Amino acid sequence: MARDLHSTDWELRLGFLIHDVSRLRRSAFDRCLKPLNVTRSQWWVLAYLSREDGMTQSQLAEELDLGKVAVGGLIDRLEKSGLVRREADATDRRVNRVFLEPKSRQLIARMRKVSHRMNAEILAGLANEKLESTAITLDAMKRNLLDYLQTAEA
């Protein structure tokens, strides 16, 4: 019985730690990016497009776990800032694809530098072996969660 209680406490603690670290990291990154005049939502759009330029608005909405209207508003603001452009899909004119503009590539490069400096600070003093082990564990948890969500939808 004591073992089950310990297990439950550990599972709760692990969940809270993951949540807190993620929340605090986002807040720290927001603070670091503030001088660049980029909001969290905007940097997420730019980050996804930097990995897969030309995503559809629907794909972005799904990846960001946002509504299509909210993503549309984000893209409107990024477009006005000259960071992205919309183009109609070549095969389906109802679909808009979003592409990075050259100006955004410079901003993304600056964001990456800020991110590297911040990561160096928050990972200071942690041995590479521990970081690798943590990454492997979190990756396994992510895969398990994705599997869970896929089977739950079926």
Side-chain angles (χ1 to χ4, degrees), residues 119-153:
N119 283 333
E121 283 188 48
I122 63 177
L123 300 176
L126 299 172
N128 282 340
E129 301 80 33
K130 287 194 177 219
L131 292 172
E132 285 178 36
S133 177
T134 301
I136 290 167
T137 300
L138 289 171
D139 187 55
M141 291 171 69
K142 178 182 174 179
R143 281 183 275 121
N144 289 342
L145 283 164
L146 289 170
D147 289 346
Y148 171 81
L149 290 171
Q150 272 189 324
T151 57
E153 287 177 2

Side-chain angles (χ1 to χ4, degrees), residues 26 39-52 55-78 84 98 100 111:
R26 283 191 310 270
T39 67
R40 179 183 305 160
S41 299
Q42 289 172 331
W43 63 256
W44 272 111
V45 169
L46 295 173
Y48 274 96
L49 289 173
S50 74
R51 292 184 200 118
E52 188 180 337
M55 292 177 78
T56 67
Q57 285 185 220
S58 296
Q59 286 173 311
L60 278 168
E62 187 175 317
E63 291 291 336
L64 296 169
D65 199 24
L66 292 173
K68 291 178 185 178
V69 173
V71 169
L74 278 169
I75 294 168
D76 287 343
R77 288 187 292 285
L78 289 167
V84 301
V98 184
L100 295 172
M111 288 167 44

Side-chain angles (χ1 to χ4, degrees), residues 23-128:
R23 178 182 53 80
L24 290 167
R25 187 181 184 287
R26 283 191 310 270
S27 294
F29 198 54
D30 283 347
R31 184 178 296 167
C32 291
L33 289 181
K34 191 170 185 144
L36 301 178
N37 295 317
V38 181
T39 67
R40 179 183 305 160
S41 299
Q42 289 172 331
W43 63 256
W44 272 111
V45 169
L46 295 173
Y48 274 96
L49 289 173
S50 74
R51 292 184 200 118
E52 188 180 337
D53 202 14
M55 292 177 78
T56 67
Q57 285 185 220
S58 296
Q59 286 173 311
L60 278 168
E62 187 175 317
E63 291 291 336
L64 296 169
D65 199 24
L66 292 173
K68 291 178 185 178
V69 173
V71 169
L74 278 169
I75 294 168
D76 287 343
R77 288 187 292 285
L78 289 167
E79 208 169 24
K80 284 179 187 168
S81 299
L83 295 170
V84 301
R85 74 180 183 286
R86 286 183 176 104
E87 289 182 14
D89 185 83
T91 58
D92 186 347
R93 306 293 276 167
R94 297 170 296 173
V95 175
N96 281 319
R97 294 196 171 272
V98 184
F99 294 90
L100 295 172
E101 290 288 16
K103 180 179 173 181
S104 65
R105 295 187 190 283
Q106 296 166 354
L107 177 60
I108 291 167
R110 291 174 66 195
M111 288 167 44
R112 285 189 176 132
K113 286 180 184 175
V114 168
S115 177
H116 290 305
R117 280 195 305 268
M118 188 189 79
N119 283 333
E121 283 188 48
I122 63 177
L123 300 176
L126 299 172
N128 282 340

